[in-house]
Structures are given as structure tokens and as C-alpha cells.
Amino acid sequence: MNDTPLTTTPSKESEKPRIKEIEDQRKTDLSWTTQTDREDTTRASGRFGGLLKRNPSPAFLADVAKLNSMDLDPKEVKRLERKIDLLIIPALSICYMFYYVDKTTLSYAAIFGLKEDLNLKPSEYSWLSSIFYFGWLAWALPTNILMQKFPLSKYLAFNIFMWGVLLMAQAASRNFTDLAILRILSGAFEATADPAFVLITGMWYTRGQVPARIGYWYLANGLGIALGGLLGYGIGHIKSALASWKMEFLIVGALCSGWAIIMGIFIPDSPYHTHWFNLANVTTKLDRQQRVLEAFMDAKIYLFFLFGFTANVPNGGTSNFGTIIVKGFGFNTFQTTLMQVRALWFIISLIILLAIYVNTRLPKGNRTYLMAATNLPTVVGFAMIAWAKPQAARLIGYWMTGASNATFVLGLSIVSGNVGGQTKKAIASASVFLGVAAGNIVGPFLFKDSEALGISQVCWLHGIARSGNAIILVLRVIFVTANRKRDRAVAEGKVEYDPNQTGLEDITDWNNPAFRYITVSSTLIHHLHG
């Protein structure tokens, strides 16, 4: 065994072919570019086998390995990245915008007469807010498994279409029971959203690029707030035989299903199954996914669940009671909807952009500290809502609670970049969003329909937010300790590896000696595969 590990750093004496040369060499072999060369042509058994996704063919994976051993033209890589950004980021942004609008439509319907028309008690409205996440909780793990079985973009589009259908069906609700059943089903279909968005991002981008790209489409959270407020304001002024809250459900649902059809037609399912890029381009971006079932032995999986939970208990309340809280400050119905548009979406977008910018400028090893810092304005904001007397101060406090979105963005990038293996990634993603569901179930019960946030409620929210910081710091200790142990093993000559080869094998972060956990800013991440 040699004392030094194998690396992918090219020697100064050797010259690597460039992309243009590769393309010129392959012009004589047109069979390389056929669709069947990209995919495994073996059809799954069963009546619906043709609907299942196909994995990349061995020949295609071999081409990926070749290109990973070559120097790529930086200008060509940048051009490809711009094309991917123009296709993937707007699509995911629109999806996330509808995702947020869909979840908050109940909040706008509430101030347009839903509670009065259906004779909802305050406790029943809280249950409607929480029961959505019972469906999410029940379906989170199965849908993560199904995402590994079906073409990802098509599967996501189907689920988004069903969001719209179920939202429109809620307009026909006659009582609490009707609405509760539809909310449970809506929650089940929405359980696909966040993990699918993260998987799609990781499929098209390198580990170093993922945090910023997640941040870009997560900005649509703010746009969703703005769109929800504008739709609510406009729908509230429509003179119709239908109640305004029914119009809210019908219009938002129709827009959501319409977008799903567009997405299903135009957005590719994977880098190796697309007609938007030529094959030489596609192979430079193929995601190396690995599989090994060790997830339930890994402490990180359980900490990811707790992170999702603590980050979303406040969100569970503000997303469903936000309009009621603001209205309780003394604003009328239409002023409340505009308050959501004018400031909250802007503040959330600004905080996320600031977090992305700071993340790229921080010295090595500080992303987890940044996550903890972005959580602090949420704590201060809830305190201002509870104890501040001036109306303006309480409103500003409510807006400050949106800082938790930046914490969650950075957290998603930590999860995406710190788990290896396809099956393990699916379970890790499910654990986060099981925590999200649990947090959103608990959150609404810390808010009351008839009064402002009290001291006891704020104390609970403070404790939960601070425990979130503790979880983040524990994850940091695990990542740093594991990285130091692996680096020490390499320095002592106990481990040798070829990062290119291990990146293509079906192994997890525990079994991949080239894998390093991300605690660093996105511009400083080593080009390691996992």
C-alpha cells in the first residue's frame, strides 16, 4: 500500500483532453448519442413497469467516469450552468411559490368568512391547521420511496396537480368534517414537495452549488406570500354569488393544477433523460447517488428530524394564524392582506439573500454558526409580539419571525450535502420532513384565535427556537469530528482512495473514504463526490 492516497489532481506533465476535443472525437460514433445509450433498457415487470424510471446505462456511467478524469473547459462549464439555472431554478421557484400559497390559502379564507359560513369553533380551526400535517406525516416516508421509483419531475407534477384539485374541492366543503378530510389528503400530496425540490437540486448541481440554488428557489417563499396576499386582496373585491373564500380555493387551485401540467411536459426528469442539453454536456452534471441501508443507525438522521421539528413549530402557527395575528394588531381585512404583500415577503427574501451572501463569504467551517445566528431574530420577533405595546413594534416583531426561513434554507443544504447513498438520502430527507410535519402539527396549538400571543406561548416558542440552535451545534460537532478522523487516517497512510471511482460506486457517507461533511461556506467546499 502506498503512503499517499490517489487523487484526481492532474500532473503538470500530462495534458487532459478538453470538451471540444471529446465532442470532435465522438462525431464519428453517432450511436453514442442515442436515447437507449443513456438509459438501462431493461423494463420493470408488472402492468405499470413502463411508468417506473430507468437508471442510466453502464455505458453512460463509463462516459461520466471518463469526463471526470479530464479537465473541462471553464467557459463551457459556465455556459452549461447558466442553461441549467434558466431551466431548473425558475421551475422550482414557481413550484415553491404555489406550495406556499396552497398551504396558506386557508389563512386567507379564514378572514373572508370561512369560519362563519362553516360555523367553525376556534379549536376546530386550529385542528384544520394541524390536521393537514397528519396526512403529510403519514405519507412522508412512502412518497420519498416512490420518488426513487418514478421519474422525479413527472411524479412531482402529478402531486402538484392534485394539490390544485383538492384545493378546488375545498370550496365545496359544507362543514368541519368535509374540510378536515380534504386537508388530510392535501397534506399527503404536499409531503412530496420539499424532498423532491431538494432531490432535483442535488441531481443537477454539485455539492458546492447546492446551498445557493436551494436559497434561490426558497426565495419564492416570499413571492408566495406576496402572491397569496395579492390574490386575497383581488378575490375579496370580486362581486360574485360565490363567497370570497370559495373563490379563493377555486382560483388558487386552478392556477396550481395548470402549472403542474406545464411542468410535467417541459421539465426533464434527470440530467441523463433530457432533450434540453446534448449528451456531452449532460454527463458533466450527472449526480452520483449511492445506496446502503444504514440510515437508522446514524444519529444524524434523528437530529435532522429534530431540526425539522424545531424549525417549523413557529411556522406552523404563523402560516395559519399570521393573518389573524396581524388583524389583531388593529388592521382591517384588506389592510391585513396588503401587509403580507408589502413587507413580510420582502423581509423574508432579504434575509434569505443575506444568508446566502454571508455563507459564501464566511471563513472555512462556519455555516452551522450562521444557521444558529439566523435563528435569533425569530426569538426576538415573538418577544416583541408578546410584550411590545406600540402597534408598529408588534408588526415588526411579526415580520422578524420570518428569519426562520433562512435557517431552514441553510439546514436543507446541510442535509443534502452530508448524506451519501440513494436510499439513505431518501430516509434522511424523509426524517427532516417528518419533523417539519410534526412541527406544523404542534405549532397551531400554541396560537389562539381569540387573543394575542401570551407570555406562556412565547416562552414555549423561545425554548423551541433555542433548542433548534443546540441541535445545529451538535450536528456541527459530529461533522467536524468525522472529518478530522478521516483526514488523520489519510495523513497517516491508513486509507487510500480514488475520489473519482468512489464517487461512482453505490456507497454511503460512512463507507466512502472520499466523503467529507460540509460545515464550510459553499465557495470553499472541496470537490469531493458523495
Side-chain angles (χ1 to χ4, degrees), residues 293-530:
L293 289 173
E294 65 185 35
F296 292 106
M297 299 170 58
D298 193 336
K300 297 194 301 293
I301 304 300
Y302 301 97
L303 290 170
F304 290 157
F305 169 84
L306 292 174
F307 167 74
F309 176 80
T310 57
N312 281 273
V313 168
N315 178 71
T318 55
S319 63
N320 291 287
F321 284 82
T323 55
I324 295 172
I325 292 171
V326 174
K327 193 173 182 181
F329 295 158
F331 299 102
N332 64 35
T333 298
F334 292 112
Q335 288 173 332
T336 297
T337 59
L338 289 179
M339 286 295 175
Q340 297 290 89
V341 177
R342 287 178 178 175
L344 186 57
W345 76 270
F346 174 76
I347 290 173
I348 289 176
S349 300
L350 182 63
I351 291 173
I352 292 174
L353 282 173
L354 183 62
I356 294 171
Y357 176 79
V358 173
N359 181 56
T360 61
R361 297 298 188 272
L362 279 176
K364 180 178 180 179
N366 288 284
R367 188 187 301 176
T368 43
Y369 289 144
L370 177 60
M371 288 171 62
T374 57
N375 207 24
L376 295 178
T378 302
V379 177
V380 175
F382 280 118
M384 292 174 67
I385 294 173
W387 289 301
K389 299 300 181 184
Q391 182 189 63
R394 298 174 71 196
L395 184 61
I396 291 171
Y398 168 66
W399 289 337
M400 288 175 64
T401 63
S404 61
N405 289 276
T407 309
F408 196 58
V409 167
L410 294 170
L412 288 179
S413 69
I414 288 287
V415 175
S416 175
N418 283 321
V419 179
Q422 185 175 2
T423 300
K424 188 175 180 182
K425 281 184 178 181
I427 294 175
S429 180
S431 72
V432 173
F433 296 108
L434 285 171
V436 170
N440 278 281
I441 288 171
V442 172
F445 290 98
L446 294 178
F447 294 75
K448 294 184 178 180
D449 191 13
S450 57
E451 60 180 349
L453 285 174
I455 293 176
S456 62
Q457 294 162 290
V458 171
C459 288
W460 274 105
L461 291 166
H462 273 215
I464 291 169
R466 288 175 179 173
S467 64
N469 279 359
I471 291 164
I472 292 166
L473 296 178
V474 170
L475 282 169
R476 174 184 173 81
V477 171
I478 292 174
F479 297 151
V480 171
T481 302
N483 285 347
R484 287 175 178 171
K485 183 178 179 180
R486 293 178 182 213
D487 290 342
R488 185 167 58 251
V490 171
E492 293 173 356
K494 297 178 180 178
V495 175
E496 294 182 353
Y497 60 87
D498 179 353
N500 259 358
Q501 184 62 33
T502 53
L504 289 172
E505 293 174 356
D506 190 21
I507 53 179
T508 67
D509 49 289
W510 277 13
N511 296 306
N512 184 353
F515 197 98
R516 294 298 182 272
Y517 296 102
I518 300 173
T519 61
V520 301
S521 105
S522 60
T523 57
L524 295 173
I525 294 174
H526 295 294
H527 187 64
L528 296 172
H529 306 287

Side-chain angles (χ1 to χ4, degrees), residues 195-215:
F197 299 159
V198 174
L199 277 177
I200 291 172
T201 307
M203 186 184 298
W204 286 95
Y205 295 99
T206 66
R207 294 175 72 197
Q209 295 170 332
V210 163
R213 267 55 180 199
I214 289 178

Side-chain angles (χ1 to χ4, degrees), residues 22-96:
I22 299 169
E23 292 176 341
D24 289 342
Q25 292 169 6
R26 287 175 169 165
K27 285 179 181 177
T28 58
D29 184 10
L30 297 180
S31 63
W32 186 85
T33 64
T34 65
Q35 183 68 29
T36 55
D37 282 341
R38 304 186 196 187
E39 296 180 320
D40 186 347
T41 57
T42 304
R43 180 188 171 110
S45 61
R47 180 179 298 179
F48 301 104
L51 297 177
L52 300 179
K53 77 173 183 181
R54 293 177 178 177
N55 294 319
S57 67
F60 185 80
L61 289 175
D63 285 319
V64 173
K66 289 178 183 178
L67 284 177
N68 277 332
S69 66
M70 301 172 181
D71 286 339
L72 304 179
D73 185 346
K75 292 182 179 179
E76 184 72 12
V77 171
K78 284 293 183 184
R79 185 184 67 81
L80 173 61
E81 288 175 353
R82 283 194 296 269
K83 289 177 68 175
I84 294 174
D85 284 341
L86 290 174
L87 178 66
I88 301 300
I89 299 303
L92 290 181
S93 297
I94 295 172
C95 288
Y96 207 80

